[in-house]
Amino acid sequence: MRFPTTTSWSTRPRRTADAPTGLRRVVITGAASGFGLGLAKRFIARGDAVIATDLHDAPNEAVAKLGKNCTHRKLDVTSDEDWERAAAEIGAVDELARRTSPRCAHRTS
C-alpha cells in the first residue's frame, strides 16, 4: 500500500494537548467498518467534522447513521489520482487517519 507523498494536503497548525475539543476537519480512510468506523465515532463525539472515506460510491448504513457531522467520500487509497482528487476537493484538514482494511494490504501501486 502506498500513501501520498506529495504536499498537496494543506494542514492547519496543530493544536496543543491542552486545547479544547471542538470542530476540526478529520479525514478517515477505511471508515466504513472496524477501526476506521470506531475512529469516526470518537472524533464525532468530540465535536469534530469527519470525512469518512472508503471504496464505495455511497455510505453504508453504519456511516449514514453517524449524523450531520459526518460526510462520506469514495477514496481508493491505492490510487495516487484518488488522493490528488480528494485533496483538491476537500481542502485543508486538521487530521488524516489512514486506517484501511487488511484486504487492501495486498495492493501496491
Side-chain angles (χ1 to χ4, degrees):
M1 181 177 337
R2 196 169 141 203
F3 298 113
T5 57
T6 63
T7 58
S8 60
W9 282 94
S10 168
T11 58
R12 298 181 180 127
R14 294 188 64 78
R15 297 189 317 176
T16 60
D18 58 346
T21 60
L23 187 63
R24 292 180 298 177
R25 288 174 45 94
V26 181
V27 173
I28 302 173
T29 65
S33 63
F35 191 72
L37 181 61
L39 278 177
K41 290 177 180 178
R42 298 276 311 249
F43 279 110
I44 289 169
R46 289 177 47 101
D48 296 321
V50 170
I51 300 147
T53 70
D54 66 23
L55 285 172
H56 301 91
D57 291 323
N60 65 10
E61 186 177 342
V63 172
K65 288 182 179 180
L66 292 177
K68 63 180 174 129
N69 277 0
C70 182
T71 58
H72 175 269
R73 187 190 193 296
K74 180 179 179 178
L75 175 65
D76 178 354
V77 298
T78 65
S79 166
D80 290 338
E81 292 81 21
D82 265 16
W83 279 109
E84 289 299 322
R85 194 171 20 258
E89 292 173 6
I90 294 170
V93 298
D94 297 298
E95 301 286 337
L96 171 61
R98 298 179 294 205
R99 303 291 172 215
T100 55
S101 167
R103 289 173 279 186
C104 292
H106 69 281
R107 294 177 161 188
T108 58
S109 58

